[in-house]
Amino acid sequence: MRRSVDALLDGHRQHVALALVAITRITAGAVFGTAVTVYIGRAASPFVVTLSYAIFSLCLLLFAPVWGAVADVTGRRKLLLTLTALGAALAVAPLVVRVSVPLQVAARGLYAVFIAGFGSIVLTVVSETGGDSSRGRSIGFYTSAQAGGDIVGRLLVGYLLGVLLPTEVYGVVVAVTLLTTVCTLFVVDPTPSPAEPATLGRFRSEVRSRFLPGGARSDLFARKGLGWLYVGLAMRNMTQKGVSSVLAVYLVTDVGLTEFVMGIVLAVSPAVRIVAMYSLGRLSDSIGRKRLIVGGIGGAGVQALVVVAALVPATMAARATVGGAALLVHALTFSALTVGTIAFIGDVAPPDRESELMGLRSTARGLGGVLGPLLVGGLATYLDYASAFVAISVLSFFAAGLVAVKLVESHDGAAEAPAVD
């Protein structure tokens, strides 16, 4: 009896620690990402705005596999969480002293280097905390906490942009990220220790295998259509990240919202995700992962079209409402995709390769985040934002159809959907 009570308390402490990590990390990221977009948009062209996001995504693409290899080889995931959180704070610190377009672009890229490691490692911890029976619920809980941090960040940045100097806004980002660093100290790592000792040679081999897939990787990709999931994520993120890389600027300049109202509109998505993430986490343990993944991928295209529709109403209140509807679509479909994808990877991944495959999720998303913003930035420079959004939405709809055909349900207890092929 005493052991069961202790286990319950330990589980409660773990969830509190993970919730605090999620809220503080995402709050800092939301403030930083929106602020740097707005500040660069004031001083540079749409292409430079999207270039800064592309560099951010490129760093995610390159460093997620590296951090995944470090985590799998050493097994020191808690230490790595702390170090990457601290590194993210230090990456933004120069902007507290001086702000310029080149320095903001560089800081955003360096910030991504550390966030790439933090994201893939913490998701592995969250996934293993739930175990096989409650993985979806554990992921849903964590991502709901992330949504809470996103609400705080979006509302906060809309206010801060109007009352603080840029250096002061970035000071807030550093302070909150340091708080994340402290919170990681209370996280417990439930993942098993590596079977082999950590060596430099093994690390080199792991990194090489992540960048140059071999037979073992091909076998993993073949499981339940996992490789096609990564393709779908990359294409979906070309749409999603292409739109989101300039969304804050678009809502202010083209739609005509104030910065404060823009912050409120952007907060719609995380507000809905608080409930949606947890609910869909439970749903994924009942109906499976595939349906959530397909709907989540296609939803990025729907959001892009609704964002364009915000230009149609005559009044600012109506335009803000349509913009909020676009973020509602994002909330539901992003929640479905996130929960479904993480749970799917957790289902099919061997324990000693889970960080690698979670990291590849970030890599696939990062690839879309590099190409999508550059495509939108190029189109918007020669046409306009709305035309660019319509064009990029096609990729999301194609990716949804591709994954619907290629992916095989991974959850044994799921109510199977009719076969597509």
Side-chain angles (χ1 to χ4, degrees):
M1 179 66 179
R2 177 63 182 174
R3 289 182 179 178
S4 62
V5 171
D6 289 342
L8 182 63
L9 290 174
D10 289 342
H12 178 71
R13 283 192 290 267
Q14 173 79 334
H15 280 92
V16 169
L18 287 172
L20 291 174
V21 165
I23 291 169
T24 55
R25 215 299 289 163
I26 299 300
T27 294
V31 173
F32 181 53
T34 306
V36 78
T37 298
V38 171
Y39 290 144
I40 294 176
R42 289 176 180 175
S45 68
F47 184 76
V48 176
V49 176
T50 56
L51 177 63
S52 74
Y53 196 94
I55 291 173
F56 173 87
S57 298
L58 180 62
C59 289
L60 291 179
L61 173 68
L62 295 177
F63 285 93
V66 175
W67 286 113
V70 174
D72 285 338
V73 169
T74 66
R76 303 294 297 275
R77 292 180 176 86
K78 178 176 177 177
L79 175 61
L80 291 173
L81 279 180
T82 302
L83 292 178
T84 52
L86 179 60
L90 295 177
V92 183
L95 298 177
V96 177
V97 179
R98 179 174 178 270
V99 173
S100 67
V101 170
L103 188 59
Q104 288 177 104
V105 172
R108 197 175 196 182
L110 186 57
Y111 183 80
V113 169
F114 294 102
I115 292 306
F118 188 93
S120 59
I121 294 168
V122 76
L123 286 176
T124 300
V125 172
V126 170
S127 176
E128 290 306 308
T129 295
D132 292 335
S133 62
S134 299
R135 180 172 283 115
R137 291 176 176 83
S138 181
I139 295 167
F141 172 82
Y142 179 78
T143 49
S144 292
Q146 285 184 309
D150 211 0
I151 294 174
V152 176
R154 301 298 182 183
L155 293 176
L156 184 61
V157 73
Y159 171 75
L160 294 179
L161 286 171
V163 300
L164 296 182
L165 296 172
T167 53
E168 295 171 331
V169 172
Y170 291 131
V172 172
V173 174
V174 172
V176 177
T177 307
L178 288 175
L179 181 57
T180 304
T181 306
V182 174
C183 292
T184 62
L185 299 176
F186 298 95
V187 172
V188 176
D189 178 13
T191 59
S193 300
E196 302 178 33
T199 62
L200 183 59
R202 185 172 169 226
F203 169 72
R204 289 174 178 170
S205 175
E206 290 289 335
V207 172
R208 189 181 304 113
S209 70
R210 284 157 168 77
F211 282 105
L212 300 172
R217 173 70 66 77
S218 298
D219 291 341
L220 287 176
F221 281 176
R223 293 186 181 185
K224 306 289 187 179
L226 176 63
W228 291 108
L229 173 60
Y230 291 125
V231 173
L233 288 175
M235 296 182 68
R236 177 263 179 194
N237 260 33
M238 287 184 68
T239 298
Q240 179 61 48
K241 299 305 183 182
V243 173
S244 64
S245 65
V246 293
L247 185 56
V249 176
Y250 168 79
L251 290 174
V252 173
T253 59
D254 289 29
V255 180
L257 306 183
T258 66
E259 290 171 346
F260 180 73
V261 174
M262 175 268 293
I264 294 175
V265 169
L266 293 180
V268 169
S269 177
V272 175
R273 293 202 313 261
I274 288 182
V275 177
M277 285 289 190
Y278 185 72
S279 299
L280 289 169
R282 295 179 65 88
L283 185 62
S284 74
D285 289 333
S286 299
I287 70 168
R289 328 303 192 191
K290 180 176 177 177
R291 296 172 183 174
L292 299 181
I293 291 170
V294 173
I297 290 176
V302 176
Q303 183 205 355
L305 298 181
V306 179
V307 165
V308 174
L311 296 172
V312 175
T315 66
M316 288 303 102
R319 289 188 170 198
T321 300
V322 177
L327 273 297
L328 174 62
V329 172
H330 174 263
L332 297 176
T333 57
F334 175 80
S335 299
L337 181 62
T338 300
V339 169
T341 299
I342 297 172
F344 184 93
I345 293 172
D347 290 340
V348 304
D352 62 338
R353 311 301 289 184
E354 192 168 350
S355 286
E356 172 189 354
L357 295 179
M358 290 293 184
L360 280 173
R361 169 182 171 269
S362 296
T363 301
R365 296 172 74 237
L367 178 61
V370 172
L371 300 177
L374 291 176
L375 181 56
V376 167
L379 290 172
T381 299
Y382 288 101
L383 300 172
D384 53 53
Y385 284 128
S387 299
F389 294 166
V390 172
I392 202 75
S393 69
V394 175
L395 291 174
S396 174
F397 296 129
F398 178 81
L402 180 67
V403 172
V405 172
K406 296 294 186 179
L407 210 65
V408 178
E409 178 57 59
S410 64
H411 186 48
D412 293 336
E416 289 291 340
V420 176
D421 54 350

